[in-house]
Amino acid sequence: MPRRTFSLEDFEVGRPLGKGKFGNVYLARERRSGFLVALKVLFKSQVEQEGVEHQLRREIEIQAHLRHPNVLRLYNYFHDRRRVFLILEFAPRGELYKELQRCRRLDATRTATLMEELADALLYCHGRKVIHRDIKPENLLLGLKGELKIADFGWSVHAPSLRRRTLCGTLDYLPPEMVEGGGHDEKVDLWCLGVLCYELLAGHPPFESPSAADTYRRIT
């Protein structure tokens, strides 16, 4: 996709691909090139209301600089008075979560392929001092041939020292060091890789419990 300044008029906006907390994602075609993209539309008022402007800026800055076949590309972004638009790579087969819902569990060969792709992408990110911190089926998309794409870098961080203390991520995927309130590094992503592998094969996460307190206990 050409690098230039964009506005909404540059796109034909099609069907919705997904809905998030701060806006929606749509299939769109760049008029000049005919290039298909996913256009993520975020409402500034909601972003400001939740106080996550810094998180959004960080997501854009980090994802825009990553180049790996298993990391979803962020091509560019633009904004108007009310909205911020992220121009993202279109992953035709959607969320891994939806495939898991449909199939209930994946076979060993398919799981091994996805784990290899995810591990390779995480090694790439960690080599650039980027920790994703929210690896889960909802944040992993599938390309045209079923290849995995890491998406949603909203909780990611560029940490040159690879040490952080913020509690983030998703309950079933939280590593022990986060549950216990200690510092963490890039190994939190590797913990999530293991949890994901279990969920893909078994059809449910390994520490799933009726209450959050029980889940915390099982993790630690």
Side-chain angles (χ1 to χ4, degrees):
M1 162 159 248
R3 293 194 67 79
R4 58 185 178 84
T5 303
F6 289 95
S7 71
L8 191 55
E9 285 67 43
D10 292 310
F11 296 91
E12 296 172 27
V13 179
R15 64 182 173 89
L17 297 173
K19 186 174 175 61
K21 188 174 183 181
F22 305 115
N24 302 316
V25 183
Y26 299 92
L27 180 63
R29 186 189 304 275
E30 201 268 321
R31 292 181 191 275
R32 191 182 297 183
S33 65
F35 194 73
L36 282 178
V37 298
L39 196 63
K40 188 174 184 177
V41 184
L42 304 161
F43 288 94
K44 290 180 178 179
S45 58
Q46 290 173 275
V47 170
E48 288 165 3
Q49 192 176 323
E50 294 290 329
V52 292
E53 302 98 316
H54 174 68
Q55 195 174 309
L56 175 58
R57 278 195 293 270
R58 189 170 61 193
E59 176 181 0
I60 291 169
E61 188 176 320
I62 288 173
Q63 197 170 352
H65 288 91
L66 297 176
R67 300 281 187 280
H68 187 280
N70 301 114
V71 174
L72 196 77
R73 282 286 304 277
L74 171 60
Y75 296 116
N76 213 325
Y77 71 96
F78 59 95
H79 63 93
D80 61 19
R81 192 171 54 83
R82 296 187 304 115
R83 298 161 296 186
V84 177
F85 301 86
L86 306 187
I87 308 171
L88 294 159
E89 177 184 358
F90 171 49
R93 290 178 58 173
E95 292 177 4
L96 176 59
Y97 175 77
K98 288 179 180 170
E99 179 163 319
L100 193 56
Q101 292 287 97
R102 203 166 46 246
C103 304
R104 300 195 66 181
R105 65 188 68 177
L106 305 184
D107 64 42
T109 303
R110 176 83 172 118
T111 299
T113 301
L114 292 172
M115 291 300 100
E116 182 182 11
E117 291 172 345
L118 178 56
D120 195 55
L122 288 175
L123 281 172
Y124 167 83
C125 291
H126 297 164
R128 279 147 188 79
K129 311 299 183 190
V130 171
I131 314 171
H132 187 279
R133 305 199 298 179
D134 199 17
I135 297 294
K136 59 180 179 179
E138 294 90 330
N139 290 341
L140 300 170
L141 302 181
L142 299 171
L144 187 61
K145 297 176 181 176
E147 71 278 19
L148 181 139
K149 305 272 184 182
I150 300 179
D152 201 337
F153 281 75
W155 275 117
S156 66
V157 65
H158 180 260
S161 67
L162 289 179
R163 295 293 299 176
R164 302 289 293 182
R165 295 193 69 86
T166 314
L167 178 64
C168 56
T170 301
L171 182 60
D172 287 319
Y173 280 69
L174 283 179
E177 57 266 44
M178 279 190 178
V179 173
E180 291 168 350
H184 62 270
D185 57 20
E186 77 281 6
K187 294 182 185 69
V188 298
D189 287 341
L190 304 184
W191 171 274
C192 291
L193 184 147
V195 174
L196 177 68
C197 183
Y198 183 101
E199 181 168 5
L200 294 183
L201 291 169
H204 58 86
F207 307 109
E208 190 175 49
S209 301
S211 71
D214 286 341
T215 301
Y216 282 141
R217 269 196 297 275
R218 293 193 67 190
I219 289 171
T220 56

